[in-house]
Amino acid sequence: MRKFLLAFAIGSMFITACAGSNPEDAKTHSAAVGNPAAEQILREDRNVDIFMFGGIVYQNAEQVDWVRELQLTPGQQVGEIKKRYRDGDKFENEMSTRLPEGTKIYAPKEKNGALLLVETNGQPIKYLGLIEG
């Protein structure tokens, strides 16, 4: 029991030290935790290939080694791109930076985490959901 209390006390001190003495620091830190927002991603790279579906931003993952190696087959259609993003727009569901309106979004038949597929020119393209945690 004493070891538990000691570990709890040390953990509490560590958390308090990490949060800082300024309550505003803790607010800023907690606001930064969570799934990345499209606007945040676009600030870092204006040419990024993303779309939003179900409140999650998906990024083209064709250059990610482990994703590229996956053999995925388009399954059920779950949505489609309804709007292209333009500077100043509020990024919303079924909006894309590059995919044209009408592009179909599919869940892969092989369940493999936060991956969705779109088909362009008859070829499936893998998009990875940007999920923190």
Side-chain angles (χ1 to χ4, degrees), residues 47-98:
N47 297 313
V48 69
D49 181 2
I50 59 174
F51 69 85
M52 183 183 287
F53 181 76
I56 295 173
V57 176
Y58 288 82
Q59 184 171 3
N60 184 316
E62 291 295 308
Q63 300 305 313
V64 178
D65 289 337
W66 70 267
V67 174
R68 191 172 9 155
E69 293 172 8
L70 296 173
Q71 299 298 314
L72 300 176
T73 312
Q76 179 179 0
Q77 180 182 336
V78 294
E80 74 177 59
I81 300 302
K82 301 231 169 118
K83 188 175 181 184
R84 287 278 297 267
Y85 173 79
R86 291 177 188 45
D87 280 341
D89 285 348
K90 179 180 181 278
F91 212 94
E92 51 194 40
N93 281 316
E94 298 180 328
M95 181 180 274
S96 169
T97 57
R98 292 200 185 168

Side-chain angles (χ1 to χ4, degrees), residues 4 6 9 11 22 29 32-33 35 40-41 48 59 73 75 79 82-83 91 94 98 108 112 122 130-131:
F4 171 78
L6 179 61
N22 183 350
H29 177 70
V33 175
N35 295 341
Q40 175 186 3
I41 295 165
V48 69
Q59 184 171 3
T73 312
K82 301 231 169 118
K83 188 175 181 184
F91 212 94
E94 298 180 328
R98 292 200 185 168
N112 219 332
L130 304 178
I131 299 174

